[in-house]
Amino acid sequence: MNDGYAKQAKSCKQGEDFGVKSQQQIPVPDAPITPVTTGITPFFKIPVILAERTLQIVVEADISLYPPATEIKRVKKHVFLDQVKLVPVAFTRIPGTDYFRATRAKLFVGGYIRKNIEYASADYNAPLQDRIANVRFSGFADLNAATGDFINLPIIGISESAEANFLNEKTQTDARLDKYFFQNLVKYNEQPYGELVAANFFELDFSPHSTYHDGSFHTLREKIVLDLTVKVLQVQQVTIGAGATATVPLLSALTPPPTLAAEDTTTEE
């Protein structure tokens, strides 16, 4: 050890980092303040949850492996969504307005499962191989207000157009083909969108061709059952009264955490 470094290390006290500067923070007083309120019920434009559903997606895929594998060590999976689209197909008018609530809709989802496969090859004392594959999927679900699929209904404004024709003022017996009146009402709606909440995978991975215990295989066949939980939202104008509370929904698709066993209070005689 260098003598200069040894002398420097001895001069440092225990628990002190040589050359590291620090500054002690001084606490400052704080006090509560009285919030200023308007005393009226406010309006908010916020994302509103339309539905939270778990969709079961079943997909099968063949993944090629090169170099060939002798044993699968680990498979990690993630879901990437390309689309979560809500297409309304049935409506009911909001009383007193020209807007509609969608009472039935098709929920389209699409994306891919990103799989990271680690496996051992037949080469002697070779490192683990890594194979990344994207397994695509797509599907739809039917959401119906009559069966309670919606938490809140989507609000849609329908665009309208009208046309007026005129009579020929000279003959009073035919139409003027050079004179029209047009009216177009265009409503711009907040687009419903989706959020990924959870993904629960059940899968069976195997070689489509039987191999010996020391053999290798080039193809990995996968049968995947994916329970995909998504949340559908739309920005809407709402009112929030005093005393409103927020709740967190429970995801029945996920395995609940284990509960602690109750302590045994009985005593042996």
Side-chain angles (χ1 to χ4, degrees), residues 12-193:
C12 295
K13 298 180 181 180
Q14 186 178 4
E16 179 182 359
D17 291 330
F18 180 77
V20 178
K21 296 182 179 180
S22 63
Q23 182 178 2
Q24 183 178 356
Q25 299 298 311
I26 301 175
V28 296
D30 65 290
I33 63 173
T34 302
V36 179
T37 60
T38 60
I40 61 175
T41 302
F43 288 82
F44 296 92
K45 189 176 181 181
I46 58 176
V48 175
I49 299 176
L50 304 180
E52 192 165 14
R53 309 294 296 175
T54 297
L55 291 71
Q56 188 170 91
I57 297 169
V58 181
V59 62
E60 183 178 10
D62 287 342
I63 299 177
S64 59
L65 302 176
Y66 183 82
T70 57
E71 183 181 358
I72 302 298
K73 295 295 186 180
R74 184 173 62 168
V75 180
K76 297 189 66 175
K77 300 169 288 293
H78 287 285
V79 168
F80 290 81
L81 294 180
D82 295 332
Q83 65 165 344
V84 180
K85 300 296 183 182
L86 191 71
V87 181
V89 296
F91 308 89
T92 179
R93 184 183 292 272
I94 300 176
T97 71
D98 54 355
Y99 282 83
F100 297 81
R101 288 190 175 95
T103 58
R104 188 179 177 188
K106 300 292 184 180
L107 177 62
F108 289 83
V109 296
Y112 60 91
I113 303 171
R114 183 185 185 274
K115 308 199 67 174
N116 190 339
I117 305 171
E118 295 181 3
Y119 65 94
S121 63
D123 297 335
Y124 176 74
N125 202 23
L128 290 178
Q129 303 295 326
D130 184 77
R131 172 74 161 93
I132 296 177
N134 296 330
V135 181
R136 300 204 63 87
F137 65 86
S138 62
F140 73 93
D142 185 30
L143 303 185
N144 198 331
T147 56
D149 297 335
F150 285 104
I151 300 175
N152 295 285
L153 295 179
I155 297 178
I156 302 294
I158 305 298
S159 299
E160 299 176 352
S161 60
E163 176 184 328
N165 299 279
F166 295 92
L167 186 67
N168 190 329
E169 64 272 13
K170 293 183 179 180
T171 63
Q172 300 295 322
T173 58
D174 58 350
R176 286 192 59 171
L177 302 181
D178 61 340
K179 187 177 183 179
Y180 298 91
F181 172 75
F182 297 98
Q183 183 267 333
N184 297 91
L185 172 61
V186 182
K187 294 181 181 178
Y188 302 96
N189 297 280
E190 295 286 352
Q191 174 66 46
Y193 62 96

